[in-house]
């Protein structure tokens, strides 16, 4: 299946943020993107990788014996 590319608006919708946040990620080169003319497109795999690396997992406390 071919890679799907998302617009900045679509990425913002998926993240639940404004368009400013994905644009900042692109400007700071914190996420992989493709520039098509003046349009920015972010591969779905890059968004998934970004989310995987920035996911914080809960700490599991052990009970005292």
């Amino acid at each position: 299946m071919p890679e799907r590319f998302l617009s900045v608006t679509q990425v913002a919708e998926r993240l639940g943020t404004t368009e400013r946040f994905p644009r900042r990620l692109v400007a700071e080169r914190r996420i992989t993107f493709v520039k098509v003319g003046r349009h920015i497109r972010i591969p779905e795999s890059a968004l998934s990788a970004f989310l995987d690396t920035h996911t914080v997992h809960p700490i599991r406390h052990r009970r005292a014996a």
Side-chain angles (χ1 to χ4, degrees):
M1 180 180 277
E3 178 81 59
R4 183 162 180 226
F5 293 90
L6 306 170
S7 68
V8 171
T9 304
Q10 290 171 319
V11 171
E13 287 174 3
R14 288 194 181 190
L15 294 176
T17 65
T18 64
E19 289 184 26
R20 184 177 178 183
F21 181 66
R23 288 189 189 282
R24 192 174 81 218
L25 293 176
V26 167
E28 295 173 356
R29 303 295 197 262
R30 293 173 51 201
I31 194 166
T32 302
F33 66 95
V34 177
K35 202 163 182 186
V36 183
R38 60 182 210 160
H39 301 283
I40 300 293
R41 297 292 181 255
I42 298 170
E44 274 187 317
S45 61
L47 180 59
S48 294
F50 177 81
L51 292 174
D52 288 343
T53 59
H54 289 84
T55 298
V56 178
H57 298 283
I59 298 173
R60 297 186 187 248
H61 296 285
R62 287 198 263 170
R63 295 183 184 202

